[in-house]
Amino acid sequence: MKVETDPLTPADVESHGTPVILFTDIGRDVDDEMALVLLSALRKKHLLNPIAIITTLSPQDERANLARGSIDSMGMSDVPVGIGSSGGVDDNIELEVYEAEYSIRSPCIHQSGIELVYAALEAVPPNSTQLLCIASLTDVATIMKEREELFTSKVKEVVVMGGVVSPEIGETLVPDSAYNNNCDISSSRYVYRKCQEIGIPTITLSRWAAYGCPMPPQLFDEMSSTEHMVARNIRRVSKTSIDQLWSKVRLHPSDPRREKIPSRCDVNWFCRTFMSEGKLSKDWKASVWSLVQKLNMYDPLALLLAVPAYRTAHFACKEKVVDGVTHLCVGTSERDTGIKNRLALFNEYSTLFLSAFEESLQRKVNH
């Protein structure tokens, strides 16, 4: 059954929060699904109002099934999900999508994510909507090229989980080699260039910010103890994902099985990033989960950055003014992570995660 993209109900900015359209490659790792969990908490607080969720990166239809099941489980069954592009990946290549019992084919998925975005933008007031991009920028580039006037009139800022070359270099912002940028570097360059040309502010959160506020694996255990099926699956997948990442970084940089992971992500990088101390031999083939001391939550931080109150409280942003428009960057180097107080930020998002699961379960009991 195909879901037709009819005009959507106009977004109520005053009572429901800032309209946001989210682009995600959910299913690669748990980051994206954690962002959706966090989104349900921020929606409950009327801070963000998700008006469309678009899945990108091949196989994007399977990612849509996972997104649909996940947000339905978190009490957001009224939020539309659409299938986006392959995210810059060759048509004959399908990357992994982790399994979940709630990931099933659904008639409530829009076959054209791009048309869903157009309908969503047409339903919102001028200069009201945020685009939150925690995946390849392929679809955003398509939207800007096909409907520039609609984009310019309705989008107030673009929040990107990725990275830029130091904002102190050059007259404009240029995307760096972050994974999301690297999936389709030409689209990434286009989006940044065009946003600066037409005066749409960008807000970029880099990997350095995530490194500045690592999450202890014990939080996954605490979330899983709620018995929410999404929390349990996230805990299971986290262990699998970290083991798979270890397998990939051990490969030669030219090996296609690395799946576009930047060449800087090698064995030494893995040890620095996920282990407090010590090193692993490249020949280590057993599970590394028990050795991991810290995990990085990239996408949930990008989501928090989209909310002005959290942005002010927790992030130290670098400014880049281009033609009178201020663009923000968080995390410009290993020393400058852009995180004001890592403990305060951890307490903020861990409370939001746990409350999202508990409130979701309570709604199910009440119904």
Side-chain angles (χ1 to χ4, degrees), residues 59-266:
Q60 57 270 41
D61 54 341
E62 291 184 30
R63 300 188 194 282
N65 295 337
L66 178 57
R68 179 77 275 164
S70 182
I71 67 172
D72 286 356
S73 300
M74 295 305 302
M76 297 194 293
S77 58
D78 58 323
V79 177
V81 172
I83 301 173
S85 73
S86 63
V89 176
D90 292 341
D91 291 337
N92 61 336
I93 296 177
E94 290 195 350
L95 306 181
E96 78 273 7
V97 179
Y98 60 72
E99 296 181 353
E101 60 182 298
Y102 44 85
S103 177
I104 57 176
R105 293 186 179 276
S106 169
C108 300
I109 294 176
H110 294 256
Q111 297 303 302
S112 173
I114 295 296
E115 292 301 322
L116 174 59
V117 171
Y118 295 155
L121 288 177
E122 287 167 352
V124 297
N127 193 37
S128 66
T129 302
Q130 290 177 317
L131 298 192
L132 177 59
C133 310
I134 55 176
S136 161
L137 293 176
T138 303
D139 296 81
V140 179
T142 297
I143 293 161
M144 297 179 79
K145 292 173 182 177
E146 291 185 353
R147 300 289 299 274
E148 180 179 335
E149 184 177 350
L150 176 66
F151 183 96
T152 305
S153 65
K154 297 301 182 77
V155 175
K156 72 173 184 178
E157 58 188 17
V158 178
V159 182
V160 180
M161 172 58 235
V164 292
V165 177
S166 175
E168 298 177 357
I169 299 176
E171 297 182 356
T172 60
L173 290 177
V174 178
D176 65 9
S177 63
Y179 179 87
N180 287 342
N181 292 335
N182 207 35
C183 283
D184 186 350
I185 190 62
S186 62
S187 289
S188 298
R189 290 169 178 160
Y190 178 86
V191 169
Y192 274 96
R193 183 178 70 251
K194 197 65 178 178
C195 280
Q196 291 170 93
E197 286 178 359
I198 62 181
I200 301 293
T202 61
I203 304 172
T204 304
L205 183 122
S206 80
R207 65 184 186 277
W208 301 116
Y211 298 168
C213 186
M215 189 188 82
Q218 290 77 13
L219 180 57
F220 285 114
D221 298 330
E222 191 174 355
M223 292 188 301
S224 184
S225 68
T226 65
E227 295 297 321
H228 195 291
M229 63 179 177
V230 171
R232 291 200 311 268
N233 199 61
I234 285 175
R235 164 64 177 75
R236 177 190 65 81
V237 172
S238 296
K239 178 182 180 301
T240 302
S241 295
I242 201 72
D243 286 335
Q244 288 177 341
L245 180 59
W246 170 247
S247 297
K248 291 173 184 177
V249 300
R250 292 168 53 226
L251 299 172
H252 189 274
S254 63
D255 194 312
R257 291 174 295 174
R258 287 175 61 93
E259 297 181 345
K260 292 196 175 183
I261 293 176
S263 58
R264 59 180 166 75
C265 298
D266 56 13

Side-chain angles (χ1 to χ4, degrees), residues 32-50:
D32 292 73
E33 192 162 15
M34 292 284 278
L36 294 183
V37 171
L38 189 59
L39 181 59
S40 71
L42 299 181
R43 187 195 194 205
K44 179 80 172 178
K45 291 178 175 293
H46 304 291
L47 294 172
L48 293 178
N49 175 23

Side-chain angles (χ1 to χ4, degrees), residues 343-360:
L343 180 59
L345 179 53
F346 169 74
N347 289 337
E348 187 87 73
Y349 70 64
S350 60
T351 299
L352 288 168
F353 284 138
L354 290 169
S355 67
F357 288 124
E358 290 165 357
E359 290 176 8
S360 172

